[in-house]
Amino acid sequence: MENREKPKLSGDNTSVTRPLLVMIYKWGAVLTVIGFAVTLFWGFSFAQLLGFLLGYGFMCAQFEYLGRSCESAVKLDRKSAVRKMRVCYAVRVAALVILSCTAAYTGIANFTGILIPQLFPKMILTADQFFGRKG
């Protein structure tokens, strides 16, 4: 018989998603800085800086929420888990729409600066799959 350990979930004070989230946060910060640096060719704008900061912060917040939702959903029955993940998706998309529309309407933060960091997790996960994460 094999000795298989159960994966620890967030109730055990550890998180199975934490290493993945930390990788997304680190590389997301690097890509956000690079993205902002590219926009400096068109000149510095405080709204652009604020947009990228809000975009990166929102990306981190929504992936933290997604990670916690996934960890709690695996403890539920199928119907409840599907409902939980659909609500999670709806909340994340609604929050992004509200944040983006508020930025576009007020002009305080740049709309594209908010949206660009939302593309980074997919790029990071694709690169991680392509290069192969060790360990």
Side-chain angles (χ1 to χ4, degrees):
M1 283 209 320
E2 294 180 28
N3 183 11
R4 293 186 181 190
E5 293 182 25
K6 289 174 39 179
K8 295 182 179 179
L9 301 174
S10 53
D12 302 331
N13 292 331
T14 59
S15 171
V16 236
T17 60
R18 179 62 44 205
L20 184 63
L21 291 175
V22 168
M23 180 191 63
I24 290 173
Y25 299 158
K26 287 179 183 176
W27 285 106
V30 169
L31 291 173
T32 300
V33 168
I34 291 171
F36 176 69
V38 167
T39 65
L40 290 177
F41 289 119
W42 293 277
F44 176 78
S45 166
F46 180 74
Q48 190 71 24
L49 175 63
L50 185 60
F52 272 96
L53 289 174
L54 285 173
Y56 174 72
F58 183 77
M59 180 205 58
C60 292
Q62 79 168 337
F63 271 85
E64 186 69 31
Y65 175 52
L66 176 64
R68 289 177 189 228
S69 295
C70 289
E71 287 184 356
S72 65
V74 298
K75 298 176 187 176
L76 303 173
D77 63 291
R78 185 183 190 289
K79 186 175 181 180
S80 298
V82 167
R83 187 178 321 116
K84 181 167 192 68
M85 294 312 296
R86 284 186 178 158
V87 167
C88 173
Y89 178 76
V91 167
R92 292 184 306 120
V93 170
L96 179 62
V97 167
I98 290 168
L99 179 65
S100 299
C101 289
T102 301
Y105 181 72
T106 63
I108 294 172
N110 188 290
F111 176 74
T112 56
I114 291 174
L115 293 181
I116 288 174
Q118 308 315 310
L119 303 173
F120 297 155
K122 179 68 173 176
M123 294 166 47
I124 293 165
L125 293 173
T126 301
D128 183 51
Q129 185 67 31
F130 181 71
F131 293 113
R133 190 173 45 176
K134 310 291 188 277

